[in-house]
Amino acid sequence: MKRTVSIPIKLPDERFLNLMNQCASIFNAHIDWAIENKTFNKNKAHKDLYAMLRRKYPSVPSALLQTVRDNALEAIKATKFKRIPRKKPTSGLRYDKRTMTLRGHQLTLSCIGKRVKLILEIPNYFKQVFETWEFCGATLTYSKHSKQFWVRLVFESDNPQEISGTIQGIDRGLYHQAVTSDGQFFSSDQIRNIQRRYLFNRRKLQQKGTRSSKRRQSAMSGREKRFMKDTNHCVSKKLANQPDVAVFVLEDLSSIRTQRRGQKMNKWLGSWAFYQQEQFLAYKAEALGKRVVHQDPRYTSQKCNVCKHIKRTNRHKSKFQCKNCGHQTHADLNASRNVRDDYILSSTQGTEEQGSVNTPYVSGNSVS
């Protein structure tokens, strides 16, 4: 189990920006070599490039050059030559235990010339991580907008023992952030109001095009994202801290944005931060010994949770009324219970395939 702690720091701008620029060139040189030789073998890259790059960039520490080499070849390996990863002059720089040390609150970083030492101002929320977790590496980044350096410290710890408890299905949507199978509703009304307000303000400022309007747009930038991030943190924390729940079942929404649904709906889906909420819930649940699993979402909105009858007209907006048994409930609540029940059924069968679980209800020779 790993956690990343981001802390703003003050560094000598000239030295570190120069270092980032040179390391970006070293990274790109390894990428070009890998593409030319059709390999991401680190030993071969070391033999062919190390001596030349040491002569070309003598001020870059040897250990840091090797770290950049490993980073570049790992990037090529991850993409399997399907795209060409590149670094810009101010791209993030990965550090490891050879190029940095962390002793208590004191951090040292390799740089051009002598190492730089600084004392970190650690928020109270992260002090337990510093004291009990094992430090394993970091990434140094630079924000050109705010002209601020950030160090992203990575800590590692053993996974907690998994707990036993109930299984909870969660349906996520545009009108409700989350609806649980036990009847909890997390509304999206405030999110939609904030998004509409920011969209209106951006359009008005873009139409003006004056210097003051551009300054205002710059001041507004990032506020909507920070609001959405805070909201997702709050919802995921409430879900993860439920005492009796051990497994959270989410719909697999990985391909929801690949379909063409019209300009308005695509815009709406594009501003829906469901993946961020999923990631927050996953790491919060992991820290408590709980799990997050995924389930095929097909027919979960059309299927009755009571009789399992599937029909498109069962649902009308937020209302669900089964045409077969007459069961009535909130559509999202019905879907969350279907997500939970389908996962339980697939786990009982010992298979991940959902073809037999979510097949439409068949009566005689016709599909209902």
Side-chain angles (χ1 to χ4, degrees):
M1 184 170 62
K2 291 185 178 181
R3 293 290 180 269
T4 301
V5 179
S6 298
I7 300 177
I9 56 176
K10 293 182 179 180
L11 294 173
D13 289 2
E14 184 177 353
R15 290 175 60 188
F16 275 92
L17 290 177
N18 187 19
L19 175 67
M20 285 182 164
N21 186 20
Q22 294 187 48
C23 287
S25 300
I26 295 171
F27 180 95
N28 295 332
H30 281 93
I31 294 296
D32 294 336
W33 175 90
I35 294 173
E36 181 181 353
N37 293 274
K38 300 296 181 183
T39 180
F40 40 77
N41 186 287
K42 295 178 182 179
N43 291 330
K44 292 181 180 179
H46 182 83
K47 292 179 181 178
D48 290 352
L49 297 179
Y50 178 77
M52 180 270 291
L53 292 174
R54 284 293 291 158
R55 291 193 298 269
K56 188 174 181 180
Y57 303 101
S59 58
V60 177
S62 173
L64 201 54
L65 190 151
Q66 296 176 58
T67 302
V68 174
R69 176 203 64 204
D70 295 345
N71 193 10
L73 297 178
E74 288 167 10
I76 280 288
K77 184 178 180 179
T79 58
K80 297 180 180 179
F81 298 98
K82 292 182 181 179
R83 65 180 183 86
I84 303 175
R86 293 288 181 186
K87 278 201 171 184
K88 298 178 181 179
T90 55
S91 294
L93 187 58
R94 190 175 74 181
Y95 280 81
D96 57 19
K97 291 185 178 181
R98 298 177 300 172
T99 53
M100 71 184 310
T101 58
L102 180 65
R103 297 185 180 92
H105 292 190
Q106 185 187 62
L107 179 71
T108 65
L109 297 171
S110 292
C111 186
I112 296 175
K114 294 183 178 180
R115 283 199 174 201
V116 174
K117 296 181 181 180
L118 61 150
I119 303 298
L120 299 177
E121 296 181 4
I122 304 171
N124 293 330
Y125 181 80
F126 293 120
K127 285 186 177 179
Q128 184 180 2
V129 176
F130 275 78
E131 294 171 358
T132 59
W133 291 45
E134 182 182 358
F135 173 69
C136 57
T139 301
L140 180 68
T141 61
Y142 179 74
S143 172
K144 293 191 292 185
H145 176 72
S146 59
K147 298 182 179 179
Q148 175 68 59
F149 284 99
W150 289 80
V151 60
R152 323 285 181 177
L153 302 169
V154 181
F155 295 86
E156 190 172 15
S157 178
D158 296 333
N159 292 331
Q161 185 177 1
E162 289 191 1
I163 65 173
S164 58
T166 60
I167 299 175
Q168 185 179 79
I170 300 176
D171 179 74
R172 295 170 291 169
L174 297 171
Y175 289 94
H176 287 93
Q177 273 191 284
V179 178
T180 65
S181 55
D182 57 3
Q184 299 180 65
F185 287 77
F186 297 88
S187 177
S188 296
D189 289 345
Q190 185 183 9
I191 295 173
R192 296 173 60 208
N193 290 337
I194 293 293
Q195 288 178 341
R196 284 197 294 266
R197 190 185 76 189
Y198 276 112
L199 179 62
F200 175 81
N201 290 338
R202 279 197 301 269
R203 286 176 175 174
K204 285 293 184 181
L205 292 172
Q206 288 169 358
Q207 288 175 358
K208 287 186 177 181
T210 60
R211 292 178 60 186
S212 60
S213 67
K214 291 179 181 178
R215 285 197 299 268
R216 183 60 183 162
Q217 289 182 63
S218 178
M220 284 173 52
S221 66
R223 287 186 183 177
E224 184 179 351
K225 288 183 179 180
R226 290 193 296 272
F227 165 77
M228 194 68 238
K229 185 176 181 180
D230 177 68
T231 304
N232 281 333
H233 268 302
C234 293
V235 172
S236 60
K237 184 177 181 179
K238 290 179 181 178
L239 291 171
N241 288 335
Q242 296 175 97
D244 300 328
V245 181
V247 179
F248 301 95
V249 187
L250 303 178
E251 295 173 300
D252 184 4
L253 302 177
S254 56
S255 60
I256 194 170
R257 292 194 178 115
T258 59
Q259 302 178 12
R260 296 181 179 180
R261 304 172 185 267
Q263 183 178 3
K264 183 177 180 180
M265 180 56 70
N266 288 339
K267 173 69 176 176
W268 206 354
L269 289 174
S271 62
W272 182 23
F274 64 88
Y275 182 72
Q276 185 186 70
Q277 184 190 85
E278 177 183 319
Q279 294 299 301
F280 290 168
L281 177 60
Y283 87 77
K284 287 179 171 64
E286 182 187 28
L288 298 172
K290 303 179 180 182
R291 291 188 297 135
V292 173
V293 297
H294 295 86
Q295 177 64 29
D296 191 335
R298 289 177 293 180
Y299 304 111
T300 52
S301 296
Q302 304 174 22
K303 180 166 59 176
C304 175
N305 179 249
V306 176
C307 68
K308 307 304 179 185
H309 177 82
I310 298 177
K311 196 168 186 178
R312 185 183 293 272
T313 55
N314 282 347
R315 175 171 183 168
H316 179 67
K317 295 185 178 179
S318 63
K319 298 179 180 179
F320 185 92
Q321 182 173 3
C322 180
K323 304 299 182 183
N324 184 51
C325 68
H327 173 63
Q328 297 184 35
T329 185
H330 194 283
D332 293 338
L333 178 60
N334 177 77
S336 65
R337 290 172 176 171
N338 282 327
V339 170
R340 176 200 61 193
D341 293 347
D342 289 347
Y343 171 75
I344 293 174
L345 182 57
S346 65
S347 302
T348 304
Q349 294 175 342
T351 177
E352 296 297 329
E353 295 294 334
Q354 298 304 314
S356 60
V357 175
N358 290 332
T359 303
Y361 175 80
V362 180
S363 176
N365 295 326
S366 62
V367 177
S368 299

